[in-house]
């Protein structure tokens, strides 16, 4: 592992579906230009507001499985019937450009990252103020995401599973107010950087 990796940080943000982790991640990137988002590969179709190469790399299942076989992914998981994965080569690229890397992934991916060769990993789990708010957010999001009632029901059933992994993370942060949540996470990142530099 190259020397410039020693002070670089992998930051993981996870949450139940609808708890706002994508919005949180976008705000973190806006406020700290030394952090970049890891763009995951996915086999799911793009939503109306998503751009290939910016939000995700949208690829087909054959391509994804080929990359699993070639061990190209530092982590990958099947979530709601679709594959998601993070490429090793992207992390190497970002580290070589002096960036810490932010991952918007679930508990399955987090477990794999923690078992990887990288030593400086900070994991944060975002929880919503209540389960009811998650349901309301998912209904609202369905207007742009194309999710139907069955899809919302699936996500609500997975809520308990996802929440059961919250104690596997270094920090738990409540997302009741987006700006306050982001502020708290940036403070956690700053403290971690002090320890590794």
């Amino acid at each position: 592992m190259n020397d410039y990796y020693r002070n670089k940080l992998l930051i993981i943000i996870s949450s139940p579906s609808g708890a706002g982790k994508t919005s949180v991640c976008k705000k973190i990137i806006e406020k700290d230009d030394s952090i970049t988002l890891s763009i995951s590969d996915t086999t799911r179709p793009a939503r109306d507001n998503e751009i290939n190469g910016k939000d995700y790399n949208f690829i087909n299942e054959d391509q994804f499985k080929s990359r699993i076989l070639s061990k190209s992914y530092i982590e990958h998981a099947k979530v709601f019937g679709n594959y998601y994965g993070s490429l090793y080569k992207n992390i190497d690229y970002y580290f070589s450009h002096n960036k810490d890397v932010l991952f918007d992934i679930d508990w399955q991916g987090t477990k794999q990252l923690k078992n990887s060769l990288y030593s400086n990993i900070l994991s944060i789990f975002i929880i919503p103020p209540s389960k009811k708010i998650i349901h309301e957010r998912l209904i609202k999001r369905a207007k742009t995401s194309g999710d139907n009632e069955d899809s919302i029901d699936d996500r609500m059933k997975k809520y308990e599973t996802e929440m059961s992994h919250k104690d596997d993370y270094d920090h738990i942060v409540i997302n009741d107010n987006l700006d306050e949540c982001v502020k708290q996470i940036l403070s956690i990142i700053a403290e971690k950087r002090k320890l590794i530099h």
Side-chain angles (χ1 to χ4, degrees), residues 7-164:
N7 296 328
K8 301 322 303 165
L9 188 58
L10 296 183
I11 304 154
I12 301 167
I13 307 273
S14 300
S15 75
S17 192
K21 75 177 181 297
T22 303
S23 300
V24 167
C25 289
K26 282 179 179 169
K27 284 269 191 186
I28 289 168
I29 303 293
E30 282 171 21
K31 290 179 179 292
D32 188 332
D33 60 10
S34 63
I35 300 173
T36 192
L37 186 67
S38 171
I39 309 296
S40 299
D41 287 355
T42 184
T43 57
R44 80 156 169 76
R47 293 176 181 146
D48 290 344
N49 59 343
E50 289 176 330
I51 300 163
N52 187 36
K54 184 173 180 243
D55 297 292
Y56 288 96
N57 298 312
F58 296 98
I59 64 172
N60 65 42
E61 201 166 303
D62 288 340
Q63 286 174 292
F64 199 101
K65 287 180 175 174
S66 170
R67 289 178 182 180
I68 293 174
L69 289 173
S70 63
K71 300 194 183 332
S72 299
Y73 293 119
I74 184 171
E75 64 81 26
H76 67 274
K78 194 172 188 181
V79 184
F80 301 115
N82 297 298
Y83 288 97
Y84 295 82
S86 307
L87 292 163
Y88 274 107
K89 69 175 186 181
N90 291 351
I91 298 167
D92 292 346
Y93 174 82
Y94 295 136
F95 278 4
S96 69
H97 286 74
N98 205 29
K99 298 274 193 181
D100 291 329
V101 186
L102 178 66
F103 290 84
D104 170 354
I105 56 176
D106 79 340
W107 62 270
Q108 298 173 79
T110 299
K111 201 171 177 182
Q112 292 170 58
L113 268 186
K114 286 188 170 186
N115 289 327
S116 73
L117 297 170
Y118 298 98
S119 53
N120 298 323
I121 297 173
L122 173 65
S123 61
I124 300 163
F125 194 90
I126 297 171
I127 60 172
S130 70
K131 188 174 179 178
K132 182 172 176 280
I133 283 174
I134 284 283
H135 192 250
E136 287 166 4
R137 284 179 187 169
L138 288 173
I139 290 168
K140 191 177 173 187
R141 192 173 81 181
K143 290 170 187 170
T144 56
S145 69
D147 285 350
N148 57 26
E149 276 186 45
D150 287 345
S151 179
I152 292 168
D153 287 347
D154 280 348
R155 289 176 191 277
M156 289 308 296
K157 281 173 193 161
K158 289 265 182 6
Y159 174 87
E160 300 299 343
T161 304
E162 289 162 338
M163 286 293 284
S164 72

Side-chain angles (χ1 to χ4, degrees), residues 166-179:
K166 69 183 188 299
D167 293 328
D168 301 342
Y169 289 73
D170 302 322
H171 299 271
I172 298 170
V173 178
I174 298 172
N175 183 16
D176 196 5
N177 174 288
L178 180 60
D179 290 332

